[in-house]
């Protein structure tokens, strides 16, 4: 039995419920844990193993923005309504109040759970998830973020506080495999630079997700695959789409922005299989596509097979709504290129992330969340 | 605040070509311009002094002054010194920061308690519109014999002045940008470094906690004009 040291998180047990309004737990007595404490090199002293972060080239690097890892709505409001100086003042004033978990929090916790299992099986290996915190905040208000990471007992040792400039250069330097942000513009910039990225939103409710198994769900077209087929569908309609897919069944689809991330997940899964843990694997991947199994889905499967990628479950909905299916799967994150589906998923409590890629963006919904900092 | 620069490369036209420190000088000038714009009566400004110990250059002192003027740089004083005395010169002139490409000079300056910083070829390609200073949070401080303490105090005092200057501008569009990088330690050591800087009156704009990731790419992106590490050392 694997022992997980996961801090209880503000995720509801049992039913789906409203998330409480932001009430950051005031720090109180535990303030002593970080004030004026020097960091010793604990490994060197032979004390408790705080594991060393892996080298970026060996790890699967997931960069998360502070606005999706934590809930910062109140602070955002101060920024928008009262301006940057007041915002900075507010942050420093509340420096010892940790933020509450945001939409990416369960996902990050699940990544850490996988790491714990990987370390058990391969203690010397650096093929792990590495979580990097990225923020556009100025560094001197970053202390609140460090305090929050401490409070929630997250294993995040790398971060990037850019004071307003773009973090894309740093993401590339860290060979980032996935970037999650609240800002669609920054996500688009990352995608243009070839970094898998998606925009996350704070849903009204978040259903409870597994603490022991990381579940990642992907849409097919314009996420794992390119948007070439979607273009046909949008331009010429469903019949033409089916025709095109049938004719091209044996031609591989081109890759989409999240293909690399699925690949990275697959590599880690194989490490569990190698130790006989296929049935108990703490990573599970899903394809949730509007394609139908009997027809257009075949091309998708053939493409995945040709790429050497395994996906654990492929759900062909033939156009049926995705929400109920996702509610059953309960992924820690679901990637889709269409806001319509992202919103639909969120309504049912699924944590969905928007990949602003491909032809669907021209037809996108009313919700254009480009509210940046 | 006073900075010394030393050296300069020659150019066949008889004027000295832009040396490594040119972008730095231009950035320092930019800071002064903006400081005066905010407050025409501002007294906390950069004062740049050029020092050279190379006798060959000294014989051509008019060439140096010509070149400076030609390139539109503002240097308040020129100082021709010989190798034995130049440290005395630094001390007598109450220099807060000594910048040089000569490792020996930097070491000597440090030993006498003058904050001395080694410039390298990267400085030549730094921006000219913004002064970028990088604090290294957990660099190994090579405290060569003796006055690590004096040097540390000099570093702290310079940093405080720099922090004050930075404070004259808002969070964005500032002609000074202060970044912190911690290379080996985790978030706690970076948090500590941020607090130390804050206690010196320095509010960092950017912070990167590398926790063992390679420093090169980050430094290349940051493009600092120079690095400071003494005030954050743990001796």
């Amino acid at each position: 039995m694997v022992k997980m040291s996961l801090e209880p998180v503000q995720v509801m047990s049992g039913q789906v419920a409203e998330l409480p309004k932001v009430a950051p737990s005031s720090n109180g007595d535990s303030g002593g844990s970080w004030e004026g404490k020097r960091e010793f090199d604990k490994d060197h002293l032979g004390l408790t193993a705080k594991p060393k972060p892996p080298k970026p080239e060996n790890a699967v690097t997931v960069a998360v923005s502070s606005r999706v890892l934590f809930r910062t709505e109140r602070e955002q409001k101060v920024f928008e309504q009262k301006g940057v100086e007041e915002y900075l003042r507010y942050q420093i004033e509340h420096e010892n109040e940790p933020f509450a978990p945001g939409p990416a929090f369960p996902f990050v916790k699940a990544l850490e759970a996988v790491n714990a299992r990987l370390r058990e099986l391969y203690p010397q290996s650096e093929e792990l998830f590495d979580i990097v915190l990225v923020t556009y905040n100025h560094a001197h208000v970053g202390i609140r973020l460090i305090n929050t990471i401490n409070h929630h007992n997250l294993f995040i040792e790398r971060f990037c506080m850019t004071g307003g400039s773009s973090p894309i250069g740093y993401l590339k330097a860290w060979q980032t495999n996935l970037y999650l942000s609240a800002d669609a513009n920054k996500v688009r910039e990352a995608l243009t630079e070839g970094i898998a990225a998606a925009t996350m939103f704070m849903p009204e409710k978040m259903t409870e997700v597994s603490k022991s198994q990381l579940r990642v769900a992907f849409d097919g077209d314009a996420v794992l695959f390119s948007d070439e087929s979607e273009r046909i569908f949008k331009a010429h309609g469903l019949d033409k789409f089916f025709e095109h897919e049938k004719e091209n069944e044996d031609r591989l689809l081109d890759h989409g922005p999240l293909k690399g991330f699925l690949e990275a997940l697959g590599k880690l899964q194989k490490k569990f299989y190698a130790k006989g843990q296929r049935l108990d694997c703490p990573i599970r991947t899903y394809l949730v596509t509007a394609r139908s199994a009997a027809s257009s889905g075949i091309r998708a499967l053939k493409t995945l097979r040709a790429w050497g990628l395994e996906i654990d479950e492929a759900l062909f909905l033939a156009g049926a709504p995705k929400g109920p299916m996702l509610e059953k799967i309960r992924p820690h994150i679901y990637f889709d290129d269409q806001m319509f589906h992202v919103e639909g998923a969120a309504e049912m409590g699924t944590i969905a992330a928007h990949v602003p890629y491909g032809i669907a963006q021209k037809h996108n919904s009313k919700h254009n969340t480009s509210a940046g900092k | 605040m006073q900075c010394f620069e030393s050296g300069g490369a020659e150019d066949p036209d008889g004027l000295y070509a832009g040396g490594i420190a040119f972008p730095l000088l231009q950035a320092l000038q930019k800071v002064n311009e903006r400081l005066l714009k905010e407050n025409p009566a501002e007294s906390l400004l950069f004062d740049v002094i050029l020092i050279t110990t190379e006798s060959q250059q000294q014989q051509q002192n008019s060439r140096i002054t010509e070149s400076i003027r030609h390139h539109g740089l503002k240097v308040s004083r020129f100082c021709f010194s010989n190798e034995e005395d130049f440290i005395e010169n630094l001390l007598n002139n109450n220099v807060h920061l000594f910048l040089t490409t000569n490792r020996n000079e930097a070491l000597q300056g440090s030993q006498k308690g003058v904050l001395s910083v080694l410039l390298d070829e990267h400085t030549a390609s730094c921006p000219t519109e913004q002064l970028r200073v990088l604090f290294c949070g957990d660099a190994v401080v090579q405290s060569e014999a003796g006055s690590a303490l004096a040097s540390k105090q000099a570093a702290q005092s310079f940093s405080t002045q720099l922090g004050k200057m930075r404070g004259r501008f808002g969070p964005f569009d500032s002609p000074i940008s202060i970044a912190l990088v911690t290379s080996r330690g985790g978030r706690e050591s970076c948090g500590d470094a941020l607090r130390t800087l804050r206690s010196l009156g320095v509010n960092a704009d950017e912070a990167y906690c590398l926790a063992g990731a390679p420093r090169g790419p980050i430094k290349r992106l940051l493009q600092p004009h120079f690095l400071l590490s003494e005030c954050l050392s743990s001796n």
Side-chain angles (χ1 to χ4, degrees), chain A residues 1-7 49 51-52 54 107-125 127-131 153 155 211-214 268 271-272 277 280-283:
Chain A
M1 189 55 215
V2 175
K3 179 170 184 283
M4 310 273 190
S5 56
L6 294 176
E7 158 124 332
K52 239 175 49 146
F107 176 61
V108 166
K109 275 298 204 187
L111 296 179
E112 289 186 358
V114 175
N115 274 356
R117 292 276 300 268
L118 281 169
R119 283 198 174 97
E120 265 182 14
L121 295 175
Y122 301 90
Q124 305 305 326
S125 173
E127 288 170 341
L128 298 162
F129 287 111
D130 183 27
I131 302 141
N153 210 19
F155 186 72
K211 288 202 172 70
S212 56
Q213 185 183 60
L214 169 69
L268 291 180
K271 297 189 74 159
F272 288 99
Q277 299 208 5
D280 191 26
C281 185
I283 301 175

Short mmCIF file of all heavy atoms in Angstrom, two decimals, chain A residues 1-7 49 51-52 54 107-125 127-131 153 155 211-214 268 271-272 277 280-283:
data_model
loop_
_atom_site.label_atom_id
_atom_site.label_comp_id
_atom_site.label_asym_id
_atom_site.label_seq_id
_atom_site.Cartn_x
_atom_site.Cartn_y
_atom_site.Cartn_z
N MET A 1 0.86 -1.19 0.00
CA MET A 1 0.00 0.00 0.00
C MET A 1 0.89 1.24 0.00
O MET A 1 1.81 1.34 0.79
CB MET A 1 -0.90 -0.06 1.22
CG MET A 1 -1.99 1.01 1.23
SD MET A 1 -2.99 0.96 -0.26
CE MET A 1 -3.33 2.66 -0.52
N VAL A 2 0.60 2.10 -0.88
CA VAL A 2 1.44 3.30 -1.00
C VAL A 2 1.00 4.35 0.01
O VAL A 2 -0.17 4.64 0.14
CB VAL A 2 1.32 3.86 -2.42
CG1 VAL A 2 2.07 5.16 -2.55
CG2 VAL A 2 1.83 2.83 -3.41
N LYS A 3 1.96 4.92 0.66
CA LYS A 3 1.60 5.97 1.62
C LYS A 3 1.71 7.32 0.92
O LYS A 3 2.73 7.67 0.36
CB LYS A 3 2.58 5.91 2.79
CG LYS A 3 2.31 6.99 3.84
CD LYS A 3 3.14 6.74 5.10
CE LYS A 3 2.81 7.74 6.18
NZ LYS A 3 3.41 9.05 5.92
N MET A 4 0.65 8.05 0.96
CA MET A 4 0.68 9.38 0.34
C MET A 4 0.65 10.42 1.42
O MET A 4 -0.17 10.36 2.31
CB MET A 4 -0.56 9.62 -0.52
CG MET A 4 -0.87 8.56 -1.47
SD MET A 4 -0.04 8.73 -3.01
CE MET A 4 -0.95 7.48 -3.83
N SER A 5 1.52 11.38 1.32
CA SER A 5 1.41 12.45 2.30
C SER A 5 0.73 13.63 1.62
O SER A 5 1.38 14.57 1.21
CB SER A 5 2.77 12.85 2.82
OG SER A 5 3.58 13.20 1.73
N LEU A 6 -0.55 13.51 1.47
CA LEU A 6 -1.28 14.58 0.81
C LEU A 6 -2.03 15.38 1.85
O LEU A 6 -2.72 14.83 2.68
CB LEU A 6 -2.27 14.01 -0.20
CG LEU A 6 -1.64 13.31 -1.41
CD1 LEU A 6 -2.73 12.72 -2.28
CD2 LEU A 6 -0.79 14.25 -2.22
N GLU A 7 -1.88 16.64 1.75
CA GLU A 7 -2.59 17.49 2.69
C GLU A 7 -4.05 17.54 2.29
O GLU A 7 -4.36 17.66 1.11
CB GLU A 7 -1.99 18.90 2.57
CG GLU A 7 -2.90 19.99 3.03
CD GLU A 7 -2.24 20.81 4.09
OE1 GLU A 7 -1.38 20.29 4.81
OE2 GLU A 7 -2.57 21.98 4.21
N ALA A 49 14.49 13.32 3.91
CA ALA A 49 14.66 13.49 2.48
C ALA A 49 13.64 14.47 1.94
O ALA A 49 12.48 14.18 1.80
CB ALA A 49 14.50 12.15 1.81
N PRO A 51 13.16 15.50 -1.43
CA PRO A 51 13.81 15.05 -2.66
C PRO A 51 14.30 16.21 -3.51
O PRO A 51 13.69 17.27 -3.53
CB PRO A 51 12.72 14.27 -3.39
CG PRO A 51 11.55 14.23 -2.51
CD PRO A 51 11.76 15.12 -1.34
N LYS A 52 15.40 15.97 -4.22
CA LYS A 52 15.95 17.01 -5.05
C LYS A 52 15.12 17.14 -6.33
O LYS A 52 14.72 16.14 -6.89
CB LYS A 52 17.38 16.64 -5.44
CG LYS A 52 18.41 17.65 -5.01
CD LYS A 52 19.82 17.20 -5.29
CE LYS A 52 19.98 16.69 -6.70
NZ LYS A 52 21.29 16.96 -7.29
N PRO A 54 14.25 17.27 -10.16
CA PRO A 54 14.96 16.64 -11.28
C PRO A 54 15.49 17.67 -12.27
O PRO A 54 15.03 18.81 -12.29
CB PRO A 54 13.89 15.78 -11.94
CG PRO A 54 12.60 16.44 -11.58
CD PRO A 54 12.80 17.07 -10.25
N PHE A 107 -5.00 18.77 -9.98
CA PHE A 107 -4.11 18.21 -11.01
C PHE A 107 -2.68 18.15 -10.48
O PHE A 107 -2.01 17.12 -10.57
CB PHE A 107 -4.21 19.08 -12.27
CG PHE A 107 -3.29 18.69 -13.39
CD1 PHE A 107 -3.36 17.44 -13.97
CD2 PHE A 107 -2.35 19.59 -13.88
CE1 PHE A 107 -2.52 17.08 -15.02
CE2 PHE A 107 -1.51 19.25 -14.92
CZ PHE A 107 -1.58 17.99 -15.49
N VAL A 108 -2.22 19.23 -9.88
CA VAL A 108 -0.86 19.27 -9.34
C VAL A 108 -0.69 18.26 -8.22
O VAL A 108 0.33 17.55 -8.12
CB VAL A 108 -0.50 20.70 -8.87
CG1 VAL A 108 0.74 20.73 -8.03
CG2 VAL A 108 -0.32 21.60 -10.09
N LYS A 109 -1.68 18.14 -7.37
CA LYS A 109 -1.62 17.16 -6.28
C LYS A 109 -1.52 15.74 -6.85
O LYS A 109 -0.79 14.90 -6.32
CB LYS A 109 -2.86 17.25 -5.39
CG LYS A 109 -2.76 18.30 -4.30
CD LYS A 109 -1.63 18.01 -3.34
CE LYS A 109 -1.83 18.65 -1.99
NZ LYS A 109 -0.65 18.50 -1.12
N ALA A 110 -2.26 15.52 -7.93
CA ALA A 110 -2.23 14.19 -8.55
C ALA A 110 -0.85 13.92 -9.16
O ALA A 110 -0.33 12.81 -9.09
CB ALA A 110 -3.32 14.07 -9.60
N LEU A 111 -0.23 14.95 -9.74
CA LEU A 111 1.11 14.79 -10.29
C LEU A 111 2.07 14.39 -9.17
O LEU A 111 2.95 13.54 -9.35
CB LEU A 111 1.60 16.09 -10.94
CG LEU A 111 0.85 16.61 -12.16
CD1 LEU A 111 1.47 17.91 -12.65
CD2 LEU A 111 0.86 15.59 -13.29
N GLU A 112 1.91 15.01 -8.02
CA GLU A 112 2.78 14.69 -6.89
C GLU A 112 2.56 13.25 -6.42
O GLU A 112 3.50 12.56 -6.02
CB GLU A 112 2.54 15.67 -5.75
CG GLU A 112 3.07 17.05 -6.07
CD GLU A 112 2.99 18.02 -4.91
OE1 GLU A 112 2.48 17.63 -3.84
OE2 GLU A 112 3.44 19.17 -5.09
N ALA A 113 1.30 12.80 -6.48
CA ALA A 113 1.02 11.42 -6.08
C ALA A 113 1.71 10.44 -7.01
O ALA A 113 2.28 9.43 -6.58
CB ALA A 113 -0.49 11.18 -6.09
N VAL A 114 1.71 10.76 -8.30
CA VAL A 114 2.41 9.91 -9.27
C VAL A 114 3.91 9.90 -8.97
O VAL A 114 4.57 8.86 -8.99
CB VAL A 114 2.16 10.37 -10.71
CG1 VAL A 114 3.00 9.57 -11.69
CG2 VAL A 114 0.69 10.26 -11.06
N ASN A 115 4.45 11.07 -8.67
CA ASN A 115 5.87 11.17 -8.35
C ASN A 115 6.22 10.28 -7.16
O ASN A 115 7.26 9.61 -7.15
CB ASN A 115 6.24 12.62 -8.02
CG ASN A 115 6.59 13.42 -9.26
OD1 ASN A 115 6.63 12.89 -10.36
ND2 ASN A 115 6.84 14.71 -9.07
N ALA A 116 5.36 10.28 -6.15
CA ALA A 116 5.63 9.47 -4.98
C ALA A 116 5.73 7.99 -5.37
O ALA A 116 6.63 7.28 -4.94
CB ALA A 116 4.53 9.68 -3.94
N ARG A 117 4.81 7.56 -6.25
CA ARG A 117 4.86 6.16 -6.70
C ARG A 117 6.11 5.90 -7.53
O ARG A 117 6.77 4.88 -7.40
CB ARG A 117 3.61 5.84 -7.55
CG ARG A 117 2.29 5.83 -6.80
CD ARG A 117 2.03 4.50 -6.12
NE ARG A 117 1.97 3.40 -7.06
CZ ARG A 117 0.85 2.95 -7.65
NH1 ARG A 117 -0.30 3.56 -7.42
NH2 ARG A 117 0.88 1.93 -8.48
N LEU A 118 6.46 6.85 -8.39
CA LEU A 118 7.64 6.66 -9.24
C LEU A 118 8.91 6.58 -8.40
O LEU A 118 9.80 5.78 -8.66
CB LEU A 118 7.76 7.81 -10.25
CG LEU A 118 6.86 7.72 -11.48
CD1 LEU A 118 6.86 9.03 -12.25
CD2 LEU A 118 7.30 6.58 -12.39
N ARG A 119 8.96 7.41 -7.38
CA ARG A 119 10.17 7.42 -6.54
C ARG A 119 10.32 6.10 -5.80
O ARG A 119 11.43 5.64 -5.55
CB ARG A 119 10.12 8.58 -5.56
CG ARG A 119 10.45 9.91 -6.19
CD ARG A 119 10.84 10.96 -5.16
NE ARG A 119 11.28 12.16 -5.83
CZ ARG A 119 10.52 13.23 -6.06
NH1 ARG A 119 9.27 13.24 -5.66
NH2 ARG A 119 10.99 14.28 -6.70
N GLU A 120 9.18 5.52 -5.45
CA GLU A 120 9.23 4.22 -4.77
C GLU A 120 9.82 3.15 -5.68
O GLU A 120 10.63 2.33 -5.26
CB GLU A 120 7.82 3.78 -4.39
CG GLU A 120 7.43 4.14 -3.00
CD GLU A 120 6.05 3.65 -2.66
OE1 GLU A 120 5.50 2.82 -3.42
OE2 GLU A 120 5.52 4.11 -1.66
N LEU A 121 9.37 3.19 -6.94
CA LEU A 121 9.81 2.14 -7.86
C LEU A 121 11.19 2.41 -8.44
O LEU A 121 11.96 1.50 -8.69
CB LEU A 121 8.81 2.02 -9.02
CG LEU A 121 7.40 1.54 -8.65
CD1 LEU A 121 6.50 1.57 -9.88
CD2 LEU A 121 7.46 0.13 -8.08
N TYR A 122 11.49 3.67 -8.66
CA TYR A 122 12.76 4.04 -9.29
C TYR A 122 13.41 5.16 -8.48
O TYR A 122 13.41 6.32 -8.90
CB TYR A 122 12.52 4.55 -10.72
CG TYR A 122 11.85 3.57 -11.65
CD1 TYR A 122 10.47 3.52 -11.75
CD2 TYR A 122 12.60 2.71 -12.44
CE1 TYR A 122 9.85 2.64 -12.62
CE2 TYR A 122 11.99 1.83 -13.31
CZ TYR A 122 10.61 1.79 -13.39
OH TYR A 122 10.00 0.92 -14.26
N PRO A 123 14.01 4.84 -7.34
CA PRO A 123 14.50 5.90 -6.46
C PRO A 123 15.57 6.79 -7.08
O PRO A 123 15.74 7.92 -6.67
CB PRO A 123 15.07 5.14 -5.25
CG PRO A 123 14.77 3.71 -5.46
CD PRO A 123 14.21 3.49 -6.81
N GLN A 124 16.29 6.29 -8.05
CA GLN A 124 17.38 7.10 -8.61
C GLN A 124 16.95 7.88 -9.84
O GLN A 124 17.70 8.68 -10.37
CB GLN A 124 18.58 6.22 -9.01
CG GLN A 124 19.11 5.34 -7.90
CD GLN A 124 19.47 6.15 -6.67
OE1 GLN A 124 19.93 7.29 -6.78
NE2 GLN A 124 19.25 5.60 -5.50
N SER A 125 15.76 7.61 -10.31
CA SER A 125 15.41 8.18 -11.61
C SER A 125 14.96 9.63 -11.50
O SER A 125 14.34 10.04 -10.53
CB SER A 125 14.29 7.36 -12.25
OG SER A 125 13.83 8.00 -13.41
N GLU A 127 13.10 10.79 -14.03
CA GLU A 127 11.94 10.88 -14.92
C GLU A 127 10.70 10.99 -14.05
O GLU A 127 10.07 10.01 -13.66
CB GLU A 127 11.88 9.65 -15.84
CG GLU A 127 12.97 9.70 -16.89
CD GLU A 127 13.12 8.41 -17.66
OE1 GLU A 127 12.65 7.36 -17.18
OE2 GLU A 127 13.72 8.45 -18.75
N LEU A 128 10.41 12.25 -13.73
CA LEU A 128 9.32 12.56 -12.81
C LEU A 128 8.61 13.78 -13.35
O LEU A 128 9.07 14.42 -14.29
CB LEU A 128 9.90 12.93 -11.43
CG LEU A 128 10.69 11.88 -10.69
CD1 LEU A 128 11.52 12.53 -9.61
CD2 LEU A 128 9.75 10.86 -10.06
N PHE A 129 7.51 14.14 -12.71
CA PHE A 129 6.89 15.42 -13.01
C PHE A 129 7.63 16.50 -12.23
O PHE A 129 7.98 16.32 -11.07
CB PHE A 129 5.43 15.44 -12.57
CG PHE A 129 4.53 14.62 -13.46
CD1 PHE A 129 3.96 13.45 -12.99
CD2 PHE A 129 4.26 15.01 -14.75
CE1 PHE A 129 3.13 12.68 -13.79
CE2 PHE A 129 3.43 14.26 -15.57
CZ PHE A 129 2.87 13.09 -15.09
N ASP A 130 7.86 17.60 -12.89
CA ASP A 130 8.46 18.73 -12.20
C ASP A 130 7.49 19.90 -12.36
O ASP A 130 7.18 20.29 -13.47
CB ASP A 130 9.82 19.07 -12.82
CG ASP A 130 10.50 20.21 -12.08
OD1 ASP A 130 10.23 20.38 -10.87
OD2 ASP A 130 11.29 20.93 -12.70
N ILE A 131 7.01 20.41 -11.25
CA ILE A 131 6.03 21.49 -11.32
C ILE A 131 6.70 22.82 -11.06
O ILE A 131 7.38 23.01 -10.06
CB ILE A 131 4.91 21.25 -10.29
CG1 ILE A 131 4.26 19.88 -10.57
CG2 ILE A 131 3.86 22.34 -10.38
CD1 ILE A 131 3.92 19.12 -9.34
N ASN A 153 1.66 22.47 1.52
CA ASN A 153 2.60 21.35 1.47
C ASN A 153 2.80 20.82 0.05
O ASN A 153 2.85 19.63 -0.19
CB ASN A 153 2.05 20.22 2.35
CG ASN A 153 3.18 19.42 2.94
OD1 ASN A 153 4.31 19.88 2.99
ND2 ASN A 153 2.90 18.20 3.34
N PHE A 155 5.00 20.31 -3.39
CA PHE A 155 6.41 20.18 -3.69
C PHE A 155 6.73 21.00 -4.95
O PHE A 155 6.82 20.47 -6.05
CB PHE A 155 6.79 18.70 -3.88
CG PHE A 155 8.27 18.53 -4.04
CD1 PHE A 155 9.11 18.69 -2.95
CD2 PHE A 155 8.82 18.25 -5.26
CE1 PHE A 155 10.48 18.57 -3.09
CE2 PHE A 155 10.19 18.12 -5.42
CZ PHE A 155 11.02 18.28 -4.33
N LYS A 211 -7.53 10.79 -5.61
CA LYS A 211 -6.28 11.26 -5.02
C LYS A 211 -5.14 10.32 -5.35
O LYS A 211 -3.97 10.63 -5.09
CB LYS A 211 -6.43 11.35 -3.50
CG LYS A 211 -7.32 12.50 -3.07
CD LYS A 211 -7.03 12.90 -1.62
CE LYS A 211 -7.75 14.17 -1.24
NZ LYS A 211 -9.21 13.99 -1.13
N SER A 212 -5.47 9.16 -5.90
CA SER A 212 -4.40 8.20 -6.13
C SER A 212 -4.10 7.94 -7.60
O SER A 212 -3.08 7.36 -7.92
CB SER A 212 -4.75 6.88 -5.45
OG SER A 212 -6.01 6.45 -5.95
N GLN A 213 -5.01 8.37 -8.47
CA GLN A 213 -4.76 8.12 -9.89
C GLN A 213 -4.94 9.40 -10.69
O GLN A 213 -6.00 10.01 -10.66
CB GLN A 213 -5.71 7.05 -10.42
CG GLN A 213 -5.42 6.66 -11.86
CD GLN A 213 -6.41 5.65 -12.40
OE1 GLN A 213 -7.60 5.93 -12.44
NE2 GLN A 213 -5.92 4.51 -12.82
N LEU A 214 -3.90 9.77 -11.40
CA LEU A 214 -3.98 10.94 -12.26
C LEU A 214 -4.78 10.58 -13.51
O LEU A 214 -4.45 9.62 -14.20
CB LEU A 214 -2.56 11.38 -12.68
CG LEU A 214 -2.47 12.43 -13.79
CD1 LEU A 214 -2.97 13.78 -13.29
CD2 LEU A 214 -1.04 12.55 -14.29
N LEU A 268 5.87 7.72 -18.92
CA LEU A 268 5.83 7.44 -17.49
C LEU A 268 4.98 6.21 -17.20
O LEU A 268 5.32 5.41 -16.33
CB LEU A 268 5.30 8.66 -16.73
CG LEU A 268 6.22 9.88 -16.72
CD1 LEU A 268 5.59 11.02 -15.94
CD2 LEU A 268 7.58 9.55 -16.13
N LYS A 271 6.82 3.02 -17.40
CA LYS A 271 7.69 2.71 -16.25
C LYS A 271 6.92 1.89 -15.21
O LYS A 271 7.50 1.04 -14.53
CB LYS A 271 8.22 4.00 -15.63
CG LYS A 271 9.10 4.79 -16.60
CD LYS A 271 9.79 5.94 -15.94
CE LYS A 271 10.91 5.44 -15.07
NZ LYS A 271 11.92 6.46 -14.77
N PHE A 272 5.63 2.17 -15.09
CA PHE A 272 4.83 1.35 -14.17
C PHE A 272 4.59 -0.03 -14.74
O PHE A 272 4.66 -1.03 -14.05
CB PHE A 272 3.50 2.05 -13.86
CG PHE A 272 3.65 3.26 -12.99
CD1 PHE A 272 3.68 4.52 -13.53
CD2 PHE A 272 3.80 3.11 -11.62
CE1 PHE A 272 3.85 5.64 -12.73
CE2 PHE A 272 3.97 4.22 -10.80
CZ PHE A 272 3.99 5.49 -11.35
N GLN A 277 2.89 -3.09 -13.01
CA GLN A 277 1.80 -2.35 -12.37
C GLN A 277 0.80 -1.79 -13.38
O GLN A 277 0.27 -0.70 -13.20
CB GLN A 277 2.38 -1.21 -11.53
CG GLN A 277 3.27 -1.75 -10.44
CD GLN A 277 3.32 -0.84 -9.24
OE1 GLN A 277 2.61 0.16 -9.17
NE2 GLN A 277 4.17 -1.17 -8.29
N ASP A 280 -2.56 -1.34 -11.87
CA ASP A 280 -2.62 -0.42 -10.75
C ASP A 280 -1.94 0.90 -11.11
O ASP A 280 -1.46 1.64 -10.25
CB ASP A 280 -1.89 -1.08 -9.56
CG ASP A 280 -2.13 -0.32 -8.28
OD1 ASP A 280 -3.18 0.35 -8.18
OD2 ASP A 280 -1.24 -0.37 -7.41
N CYS A 281 -1.89 1.20 -12.39
CA CYS A 281 -1.12 2.36 -12.84
C CYS A 281 -1.75 3.66 -12.35
O CYS A 281 -2.95 3.87 -12.54
CB CYS A 281 -1.03 2.36 -14.36
SG CYS A 281 0.04 3.66 -14.99
N PRO A 282 -0.98 4.53 -11.74
CA PRO A 282 -1.54 5.78 -11.23
C PRO A 282 -1.72 6.87 -12.27
O PRO A 282 -2.00 8.02 -11.92
CB PRO A 282 -0.52 6.21 -10.17
CG PRO A 282 0.76 5.65 -10.65
CD PRO A 282 0.44 4.38 -11.36
N ILE A 283 -1.55 6.50 -13.56
CA ILE A 283 -1.83 7.47 -14.62
C ILE A 283 -2.81 6.81 -15.57
O ILE A 283 -2.60 5.67 -16.00
CB ILE A 283 -0.56 7.81 -15.43
CG1 ILE A 283 0.55 8.38 -14.54
CG2 ILE A 283 -0.89 8.80 -16.54
CD1 ILE A 283 1.86 8.62 -15.28
#
